[in-house]
């Protein structure tokens, strides 16, 4: 029986690469192009295949050894020293001898001509190279150098379980993902609610695994007392998933301020008295919408959306407002607020709020907003941190107006004034803190002296 020594072929620029995996052992039967070992440099891992079929007689290297082109890997007893196996082996060796010299080129030419499986150290499972590589796959390998770090056998294991390695946290050296990491990930996913549908890693309940977090606590609540299980409403599920995405994806900052609306409240009550018969009721919301329009005119970056590296600046002024309904939160949008007077804004917003409570809003009623207002003033509370309604870049939270002592320079005394708490959350990728402070100060000036809206 003929014995052949298998050597590391031309592996491009790589030399002194570490053996990180032995994929065969003495006595194993191997086929041509079956991987024998995995080696790893700081840039890529490669499986070195056999260029002959037969039985491994002995391994000539061990884990951790450094190998280069020409290092003997194993002795193999050739199975039926056939013309075909030798010629394939010879052809493979000839081909590998022509492989290129840098990682990129090595990947491309290797894929095209040699049986070496070259993978970026971090290639995720779905792009792990099959035996018959194509140049397209080799390109993918070279492009994926900063993805998860795992050995081919762990990638194979993950692939078999359908696990996306980019979601698994590696506990090995330099963050390398081990088989145990994959097993723990699967365990965590199974422990989370089976009904939670992940949407790009985010779901209404969410396993947390997608964000690299520990799983959601699983508690047997009945152990502590009586409970009732109530499914989330459709609106809650939809708005929950949206709020979760917005909270996670947008770097929020919330700027608070308190503004004196005493004079505006007097004006509002006078207008309400005047229009008592018309059936239109003016609440603070209509005045805030009107003042917001002025603010958007002065600070156009608040009437914008991020699209990749571009900021879309909107020339229209459609103002959304959160409405509390028996089924959950919805945000109808009041169109062209800049073209409407206070009374029209009040009438339309109360119509939209009624439609929202009856569950009759159409998707079109809730689209195309410039900025949103979340007014909890009718209910109570002061400052809070509203979540931006993507793809908008800011939202104004309004609390309940409260009488408070305010220092008056004019009379050099404290006077009781009606103070309105405002909370402006903004997307810090688009809006700087200084711009937000200017926006809320200007809004405060308008609400304190509503005549300024006409300027
Ligand atoms: N300070 C003090 N009183 C206020 C106020 C404020 N900031 N805002 C409203 N009020 C008063 C109103 O004047 C009205 O008083 P009267 O009954 O004496 O006339 C009362 O509170 C109820 O107002 P309203 O809530 O019916 O009307 P509105 O125009 O202020 O708000 C709407 C309409 C649809 C925004 C509101 O009904 C609503 O649903 N708010 C909840 C929004 C929400 O859930 N936000 C949270 C989103 S998640 O972050």
């Amino acid at each position: 029986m003929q014995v052949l020594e298998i050597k590391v072929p031309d592996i491009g620029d790589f030399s002194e690469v570490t053996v990180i995996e032995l994929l065969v052992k003495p006595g194993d039967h191997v086929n041509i192009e079956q991987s024998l070992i995995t080696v790893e440099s700081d840039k890529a891992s490669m499986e070195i295949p056999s260029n002959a079929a037969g039985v491994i007689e002995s391994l000539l290297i061990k884990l951790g050894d450094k190998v280069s082109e020409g290092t003997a890997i194993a002795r193999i007893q050739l199975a039926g020293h056939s013309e075909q196996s030798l010629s394939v082996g010879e052809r493979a060796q000839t081909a590998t001898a022509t492989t290129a010299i840098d990682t990129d080129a090595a990947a491309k030419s290797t894929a095209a001509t040699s049986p070496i499986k070259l993978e970026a150290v971090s290639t995720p499972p779905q792009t792990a190279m099959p035996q018959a590589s194509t140049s397209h796959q080799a390109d993918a390998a070279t492009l994926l150098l900063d993805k998860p770090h795992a050995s081919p056998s762990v990638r194979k294991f993950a692939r078999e379980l359908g696990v996306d390695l980019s979601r698994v946290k590696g506990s090995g050296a330099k963050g390398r993902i081990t088989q145990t990491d994959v097993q723990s990930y699967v365990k965590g996913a199974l422990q989370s609610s089976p009904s939670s549908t992940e949407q790009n890693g985010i779901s209404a309940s969410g396993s947390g695994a997608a964000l690299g977090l520990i799983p959601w606590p699983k508690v047997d609540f009945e152990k502590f007392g009586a409970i009732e299980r109530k499914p989330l409403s459709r609106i809650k599920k939809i708005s929950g998933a949206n709020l979760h995405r917005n909270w996670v994806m947008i770097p929020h900052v919330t700027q608070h301020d308190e503004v004196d609306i005493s004079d505006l409240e007097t004006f509002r009550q006078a207008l309400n008295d005047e229009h008592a018969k018309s059936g239109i009721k003016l609440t603070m919301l209509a005045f805030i919408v009107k003042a917001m329009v002025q603010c958007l005119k002065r600070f156009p970056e608040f009437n914008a959306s991020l699209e990749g590296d571009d900021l879309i600046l909107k020339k229209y002024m459609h103002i959304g407002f959160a409405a509390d309904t028996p089924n959950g939160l919805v945000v109808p949008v009041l169109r062209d607020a800049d073209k409407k007077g206070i009374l029209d804004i009040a009438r339309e917003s109360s119509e939209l709020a009624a439609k929202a409570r009856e569950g009759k809003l159409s998707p079109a009623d809730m689209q195309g907003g410039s900025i949103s207002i979340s007014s909890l003033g009718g209910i109570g509370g002061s400052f809070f941190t509203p979540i931006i309604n993507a793809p908008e870049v800011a939202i104004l939270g309004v609390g309940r107006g409260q009488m408070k002592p305010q220092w008056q320079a004019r009379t050099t005394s404290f006077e009781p004034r009606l103070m309105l708490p405002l909370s402006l959350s903004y997307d810090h990728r688009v809006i700087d803190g200084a711009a937000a402070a200017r926006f809320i100060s200007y809004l405060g000036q308008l609400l304190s002296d509503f005549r300024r809206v006409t300027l």
Side-chain angles (χ1 to χ4, degrees):
M1 181 151 306
Q2 191 174 349
V3 175
L4 187 78
E5 209 167 73
I6 311 246
K7 293 181 177 166
V8 175
D10 179 353
I11 47 175
D13 253 0
F14 301 102
S15 71
E16 292 292 294
V17 284
T18 311
V19 177
I20 58 161
E21 249 180 333
L22 302 174
L23 303 168
V24 290
K25 56 184 185 315
D28 281 358
H29 185 276
V30 294
N31 294 315
I32 291 173
E33 296 192 8
Q34 182 176 335
S35 299
L36 301 176
I37 59 169
T38 308
V39 294
E40 185 182 76
S41 73
D42 56 348
K43 285 189 191 147
S45 72
M46 281 165 280
E47 289 179 19
I48 307 288
S50 173
N51 55 8
V55 175
I56 300 286
E57 185 192 83
S58 58
L59 284 175
L60 305 172
I61 37 103
K62 56 185 188 319
L63 279 180
D65 281 358
K66 303 268 186 210
V67 298
S68 304
E69 181 185 350
T71 307
I73 301 172
R75 286 168 59 83
I76 185 167
Q77 292 168 359
L78 293 185
H81 175 188
S82 75
E83 204 44 44
Q84 195 199 4
S85 66
L86 268 186
S87 63
V88 171
E90 281 160 9
R91 194 184 58 216
Q93 277 188 331
T94 315
T96 55
T98 61
T99 44
I101 39 156
D102 61 19
T103 322
D104 241 35
K108 283 173 192 150
S109 73
T110 295
T113 60
S114 119
I116 298 170
K117 292 192 283 173
L118 173 65
E119 290 186 43
V121 166
S122 48
T123 304
Q126 63 273 29
T127 54
M129 300 255 198
Q131 292 279 8
S133 309
T134 65
S135 60
H136 168 74
Q137 285 161 326
D139 284 346
T142 56
L143 286 171
L144 287 163
L145 290 172
D146 58 350
K147 290 278 170 31
H149 188 30
S151 73
S153 65
V154 171
R155 282 198 287 275
K156 182 167 175 280
F157 180 61
R159 198 162 51 236
E160 281 164 4
L161 297 175
V163 172
D164 176 356
L165 277 187
S166 65
R167 296 181 170 202
V168 181
K169 209 167 159 35
S171 64
K174 293 186 202 159
R176 190 177 188 82
I177 298 168
T178 63
Q179 183 155 336
T180 314
D181 294 332
V182 177
Q183 282 164 337
S184 307
Y185 175 87
V186 172
K187 242 186 236 168
L190 288 175
Q191 275 164 9
S192 72
S193 161
S195 60
S196 70
T197 349
E198 300 245 336
Q199 302 159 351
N200 298 324
I202 295 162
S203 67
S205 55
S207 70
L211 299 172
L213 305 175
I214 56 170
W216 191 256
K218 187 93 185 118
V219 177
D220 177 9
F221 297 101
E222 276 166 314
K223 233 171 55 185
F224 304 103
I227 60 159
E228 181 194 342
R229 191 170 288 274
K230 192 175 159 196
L232 288 179
S233 70
R234 198 180 65 86
I235 290 183
K236 271 238 159 72
K237 278 198 262 186
I238 296 170
S239 66
N242 277 287
L243 289 165
H244 191 177
R245 178 200 56 208
N246 300 348
W247 180 249
V248 169
M249 291 184 73
I250 302 173
H252 283 71
V253 179
T254 306
Q255 170 75 58
H256 303 288
D257 202 1
E258 219 171 7
V259 304
D260 186 339
I261 53 162
S262 311
D263 295 341
L264 182 56
E265 178 62 8
T266 309
F267 181 45
R268 184 183 78 86
Q269 284 175 4
L271 281 177
N272 266 339
D273 289 346
E274 264 176 48
H275 294 90
K277 286 191 188 131
S278 70
I280 298 174
K281 190 173 134 194
L282 279 165
T283 63
M284 206 39 83
L285 182 68
F287 295 93
I288 295 169
V289 168
K290 195 73 192 158
M292 287 280 272
V293 163
Q294 282 309 107
C295 292
L296 293 184
K297 285 181 185 164
R298 184 173 284 202
F299 303 98
E301 73 267 34
F302 282 77
N303 187 7
S305 286
L306 257 188
E307 206 176 74
D309 287 339
D310 292 335
L311 196 59
I312 310 296
L313 292 159
K314 301 160 195 171
K315 304 296 176 191
Y316 49 80
M317 299 205 179
H318 307 327
I319 313 287
F321 62 95
D324 181 34
T325 79
N327 287 323
L329 171 75
V330 287
V331 186
V333 175
L334 199 142
R335 311 259 146 212
D336 298 314
D338 53 323
K339 302 188 178 110
K340 291 172 182 162
I342 294 277
L343 291 171
D344 285 339
I345 291 172
R347 199 193 55 250
E348 252 185 66
S349 57
S350 77
E351 282 168 7
L352 280 168
K355 222 170 147 184
R357 282 190 279 269
E358 289 158 19
K360 290 187 179 154
L361 287 178
S362 70
D365 288 329
M366 294 180 275
Q367 287 166 359
S370 298
I371 194 167
S372 295
I373 299 170
S374 174
S375 174
L376 291 169
I379 302 166
S382 57
F383 302 104
F384 60 108
T385 52
I387 297 177
I388 296 164
N389 187 20
E392 295 164 19
V393 294
I395 181 167
L396 180 75
V398 183
R400 189 166 188 79
Q402 261 191 307
M403 292 303 281
K404 288 190 174 179
Q406 287 296 301
W407 181 254
Q408 301 298 309
R410 189 174 37 89
T411 56
T412 60
S413 61
F414 281 99
E415 286 179 17
R417 306 290 294 175
L418 184 61
M419 302 301 291
L420 183 71
L422 298 178
S423 303
L424 177 71
S425 292
Y426 58 92
D427 183 337
H428 211 345
R429 294 170 301 177
V430 177
I431 294 160
D432 294 332
R438 287 189 192 103
F439 184 100
I440 205 165
S441 300
Y442 182 52
L443 180 62
Q445 283 173 23
L446 297 174
L447 294 174
S448 306
D449 184 352
F450 208 70
R451 292 169 304 180
R452 289 177 182 275
V453 167
T454 58
L455 295 177

